[in-house]
Amino acid sequence: MADEELEAIRRQRMTELQAKHGDPSSDQQGQQEAKQRETEMRNSILAQVLDQSARARLSNLALVKPDKAKAVENYLIQMARFGQLGGKITEAGLIEILEKVSQQTEKKTTVKFNRRRVMDSDDEDDD
């Protein structure tokens, strides 16, 4: 993906945002249109960055864990904007990225038992 395309997308987005702020009467409709344009822009960038199998895996992930899929999408878009991607990412490459994101967002769960000793029958000797 060329830097010129990304720059054109950025300029288009800036003009849209400036136009949106100039007309406050259609605020809700403008927000909805802006959100739709943003999703279209995200999808177009991801289509340029990912191959077909990787897109399918990412969409399956979005059904199960939407927050994780959004984080991976943001990561891929950021890498594309800074020109860190050499070509289209395959499914194996996407799996590596998913593992990285999983390690970064890994939550460690601990279980702590609070035992009450007030009415503990083990302490008493019943003869």
Side-chain angles (χ1 to χ4, degrees), residues 42-85:
R42 289 175 70 86
N43 289 336
S44 68
I45 291 173
L46 289 172
Q48 292 174 359
V49 170
L50 298 172
D51 69 349
Q52 194 66 27
S53 60
R55 285 278 302 190
R57 182 175 284 272
L58 188 60
S59 63
N60 288 340
L61 178 68
L63 292 174
V64 178
K65 296 185 177 184
D67 53 338
K68 190 175 208 175
K70 194 76 159 174
V72 171
E73 287 176 358
N74 290 337
Y75 180 72
L76 290 171
I77 290 172
Q78 182 180 8
M79 286 178 64
R81 285 188 176 157
F82 292 125
Q84 296 174 346
L85 299 176

Side-chain angles (χ1 to χ4, degrees), residues 11-45:
R11 276 185 266 137
Q12 179 186 6
R13 180 78 175 132
M14 283 298 291
T15 56
E16 291 169 359
L17 288 173
Q18 289 172 353
K20 179 185 144 195
H21 289 293
D23 187 17
S25 64
S26 61
D27 191 36
Q28 187 177 18
Q29 184 180 7
Q31 286 179 353
Q32 186 178 10
E33 289 176 4
K35 189 179 284 189
Q36 183 179 3
R37 279 190 222 107
E38 172 131 3
T39 56
E40 289 174 5
M41 207 166 71
R42 289 175 70 86
N43 289 336
S44 68
I45 291 173

Side-chain angles (χ1 to χ4, degrees), residues 58-121:
L58 188 60
S59 63
N60 288 340
L61 178 68
L63 292 174
V64 178
K65 296 185 177 184
D67 53 338
K68 190 175 208 175
K70 194 76 159 174
V72 171
E73 287 176 358
N74 290 337
Y75 180 72
L76 290 171
I77 290 172
Q78 182 180 8
M79 286 178 64
R81 285 188 176 157
F82 292 125
Q84 296 174 346
L85 299 176
K88 285 199 170 198
I89 295 178
T90 61
E91 188 173 3
L94 183 65
I95 290 172
E96 290 177 13
I97 292 172
L98 287 170
E99 288 174 353
K100 286 180 188 176
V101 170
S102 293
Q103 288 175 357
Q104 291 173 353
T105 61
E106 186 175 302
K107 295 179 182 175
K108 189 168 186 169
T109 58
T110 58
V111 178
K112 184 177 179 182
F113 292 102
N114 289 328
R115 297 192 175 152
R116 298 181 184 182
R117 301 200 183 264
V118 175
M119 298 293 288
D120 195 5
S121 64

